[in-house]
Amino acid sequence: MSWRFVSLPPQDGYHMVTSFVSVADYVSRGGKDTLLVFYADKPFVNVGVHQEVWLEVNLEFTKKMGISVVRRDLGGGTVVITPGEHDYFIVVRAEEAPSTPKALYEKYLTPVVNVLKSYGINAELRDQDIVVNGKKISGNGAMTYDKAVVVTGNILLSLDVDLISKCVKVPSEKFRDKMAKEMSDWLTSVEKEIGYVPPREEINKRLKEEFEKWLNVKFEDASLTPEEIQLWEKLARDKMNEEWVYYKDNRHPELKTERCVKINNAVALCHIDYKARKLLRITVKIVSKKIDEISISGDFFVMSPKGFIEELEDSLKGVDVAKYQEVVKKMFEDKKPVIFGFAADDLIKAIDELMKKPEVQEVI
């Protein structure tokens, strides 16, 4: 089988997070499966599609430094992308892709693991990440687009822990110092592992070789088509729109709190962070013993259906606090979402825990 190999020059954040969508559109219309590689020309903060910017990003610092905040179409957590990464995007026809996230990642990330091993790095796949002796060296995500599936990720060539820690929102500066130290403990890079950064051309050559061997395919060096470039430019412009960047924040303007407060005898506002397989961040406004509004955010991945989280939030509006479990279960049964990071039971447990907070108990 013949694949395209496309290597692009460095790009800004808006072009970084939209390139694979235009390629997925091409593949959906019958184009060849594609491996796309390039990297960022300058640092930017990349928030997951299901995250709220105000909860995740140190906006005071990013604005002061002129660092863009970009919302991608993929789930996962907030990451600070720097020119020290080598990014790849694997775009294939949906019928070729395994239906479970675990099998999908194994199929398309094993060649990346093998490239790292070729440098003497003890790399292994753990869920959707590639780790070296327990430290992450590659973060990855996946999404469906029409008739295509996209797996996107990076190889950390070098790390700027100081910059990364300053871009992320934390409770205090003391905590930021602690986070920077912890980041050094759970992140690694090719440079840290082998003492130097290999040339990107060499990494690309090895990626091609490993993908060809593992998937039994043959690459042809190619460029993006004029149609892909045209769509890519439009999508990048759309991503620059602040309405999109702050979409999740603006959807719930009254739910900006990281604590629980009783507003009066009938109203409470409460937030909880709940660790399922991935992090769930839930904020609920209770009015007269009903869920007036709920925000469900976090670093999880929703493979399908598109818009499931928003539909789930909407379905819970106006629901009696004693009946939300039934609504959650029915939504999961009816829509059969493919989610990497949490299940219906996790969400119910998280909301249960939130409902047990004293501030909430006083109004229900």
Side-chain angles (χ1 to χ4, degrees):
M1 188 190 298
S2 177
W3 277 42
R4 291 191 311 171
F5 182 85
V6 180
S7 177
L8 297 172
Q11 302 289 330
D12 63 36
Y14 306 106
H15 284 84
M16 287 285 293
V17 304
T18 50
S19 57
F20 57 86
V21 180
S22 64
V23 176
D25 182 73
Y26 156 86
V27 171
S28 290
R29 290 184 287 102
K32 290 185 176 182
D33 292 345
T34 302
L35 174 59
L36 178 70
V37 294
F38 59 105
Y39 59 99
D41 61 357
K42 53 185 175 289
F44 69 97
V45 182
N46 188 4
V47 300
V49 69
H50 305 300
Q51 293 190 303
E52 294 188 61
V53 174
W54 79 272
L55 270 173
E56 311 292 344
V57 182
N58 179 6
L59 289 167
E60 186 182 345
F61 177 78
T62 56
K63 285 175 180 175
K64 177 181 161 189
M65 301 303 293
I67 295 171
S68 302
V69 177
V70 181
R71 180 183 295 279
R72 61 185 181 271
D73 289 302
L74 285 165
T78 293
V79 288
V80 182
I81 307 295
T82 73
E85 292 184 13
H86 197 64
D87 295 80
Y88 50 79
F89 305 88
I90 302 143
V91 189
V92 298
R93 286 183 286 278
E95 66 264 22
E96 297 168 25
S99 59
T100 67
K102 185 176 187 295
L104 180 77
Y105 290 129
E106 280 179 2
K107 180 172 181 177
Y108 295 114
L109 294 179
T110 297
V112 183
V113 172
N114 292 340
V115 167
L116 291 166
K117 284 181 174 177
S118 75
Y119 284 104
I121 296 170
N122 182 30
E124 61 177 329
L125 188 60
R126 184 179 295 171
D127 293 333
Q128 83 275 22
D129 295 327
I130 299 172
V131 300
V132 180
N133 304 321
K135 295 185 176 187
K136 182 157 82 170
I137 198 168
S138 168
N140 301 272
M143 68 175 285
T144 53
Y145 179 94
D146 197 8
K147 297 174 185 173
V149 170
V150 181
V151 177
T152 172
N154 58 59
I155 297 171
L156 295 175
L157 300 180
S158 60
L159 270 175
D160 187 343
V161 168
D162 182 58
L163 176 71
I164 294 169
S165 67
K166 286 176 179 172
C167 288
V168 179
K169 185 174 179 180
V170 293
S172 67
E173 288 307 310
K174 188 176 179 183
F175 188 93
R176 193 182 307 285
D177 294 339
K178 181 172 177 282
M179 187 182 81
K181 183 185 179 303
E182 287 178 351
M183 216 179 292
S184 297
D185 292 340
W186 61 265
L187 285 177
T188 189
S189 65
V190 173
E191 185 176 40
K192 280 176 79 172
E193 295 298 323
I194 63 174
Y196 72 99
V197 176
R200 292 181 194 267
E201 296 78 12
E202 182 181 284
I203 294 170
N204 287 344
K205 182 171 179 289
R206 295 192 187 195
L207 281 169
K208 287 164 76 173
E209 289 168 356
E210 292 298 338
F211 270 89
E212 285 183 335
K213 276 195 289 187
W214 180 254
L215 297 176
N216 193 27
V217 300
K218 201 73 187 163
F219 280 115
E220 60 176 52
D221 290 327
S223 302
L224 296 181
T225 65
E227 292 80 13
E228 283 173 289
I229 293 169
Q230 185 179 8
L231 177 57
W232 185 20
E233 290 297 339
K234 179 193 176 299
L235 292 168
R237 285 194 302 274
D238 290 345
K239 285 289 176 285
M240 294 175 194
N241 188 328
E242 291 212 340
E243 282 183 23
W244 165 253
V245 176
Y246 296 97
Y247 158 72
K248 192 80 176 168
D249 305 53
N250 295 337
R251 184 171 158 78
H252 304 289
E254 294 181 16
L255 300 188
K256 288 185 168 56
T257 183
E258 291 182 81
R259 58 197 185 99
C260 289
V261 289
K262 175 187 170 185
I263 296 169
N264 58 43
N265 288 336
V267 181
L269 193 60
C270 194
H271 175 89
I272 190 171
D273 285 348
Y274 183 88
K275 192 75 172 86
R277 199 165 184 183
K278 304 294 273 181
L279 182 65
L280 277 167
R281 308 190 82 167
I282 298 168
T283 313
V284 176
K285 185 179 181 184
I286 310 289
V287 177
S288 302
K289 300 184 181 181
K290 294 183 187 295
I291 294 173
D292 182 70
E293 191 173 359
I294 183 168
S295 168
I296 301 166
S297 67
D299 59 359
F300 47 84
F301 297 85
V302 179
M303 299 284 290
S304 65
K306 189 174 172 61
F308 174 75
I309 296 298
E310 289 78 8
E311 200 172 339
L312 178 60
E313 290 174 344
D314 289 344
S315 73
L316 287 164
K317 282 184 179 180
V319 171
D320 190 285
V321 293
K323 296 182 178 176
Y324 65 84
Q325 295 188 8
E326 300 166 26
V327 176
V328 171
K329 286 175 183 173
K330 188 171 189 314
M331 277 292 292
F332 273 75
E333 284 166 10
D334 290 351
K335 300 294 180 179
K336 297 179 174 52
V338 179
I339 298 175
F340 185 81
F342 76 92
D345 285 348
D346 296 311
L347 181 59
I348 288 167
K349 284 176 189 173
I351 301 174
D352 280 349
E353 198 169 304
L354 182 147
M355 292 295 178
K356 288 173 186 170
K357 297 286 185 183
E359 296 84 355
V360 177
Q361 284 291 307
E362 287 178 25
V363 302
I364 65 171

